[in-house]
């Protein structure tokens, strides 16, 4: 599968959710990341990696500790 690179995030919620799901599938599910590590992972995918990270959290594709020291991919949900 070719590397994922986004030039913009979709505005419509359904397309955004699909895009975030695709992005989340590229993140290893078996480890935790520090904030700098997850940022470094997301930076090549989208220039505003902080927005991408927040959207992934808001849509529950990523979870984090309350103090933001650890991030991890959430288990995949069935439709």
């Amino acid at each position: 599968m070719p590397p994922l690179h986004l030039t913009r995030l979709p505005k419509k919620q359904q397309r955004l959710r699909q895009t975030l799901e695709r992005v989340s599938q590229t993140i290893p599910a078996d480890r935790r990341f520090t904030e700098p590590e997850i940022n470094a992972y997301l930076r090549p995918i989208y220039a505003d990696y902080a927005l991408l990270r927040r959207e992934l959290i808001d849509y529950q594709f990523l979870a984090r500790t309350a103090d933001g020291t650890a991030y991890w991919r959430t288990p995949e949900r069935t439709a």
Side-chain angles (χ1 to χ4, degrees):
M1 193 176 321
L4 185 60
H5 179 74
L6 303 172
T7 55
R8 64 177 181 82
L9 290 178
K11 293 191 185 308
K12 296 194 181 235
Q13 188 174 3
Q14 184 176 358
R15 286 287 294 147
L16 177 59
R17 182 177 295 279
Q18 291 170 344
T19 300
L20 294 173
E21 182 176 15
R22 171 71 177 86
V23 170
S24 73
Q25 292 170 349
T26 68
I27 299 170
D30 59 344
R31 68 172 286 216
R32 287 183 173 232
F33 297 89
T34 64
E35 185 171 338
E37 288 172 335
I38 198 70
N39 288 345
Y41 197 87
L42 297 174
R43 188 176 289 118
I45 296 174
Y46 188 59
D48 190 350
Y49 57 89
L51 173 62
L52 180 58
R53 185 187 68 231
R54 286 190 302 270
E55 293 287 2
L56 286 164
I57 291 167
D58 288 349
Y59 281 84
Q60 300 178 346
F61 291 105
L62 273 185
R64 69 175 183 169
T65 57
D67 62 1
T69 58
Y71 294 79
W72 61 94
R73 191 173 106 189
T74 57
E76 291 186 28
R77 301 179 297 260
T78 56

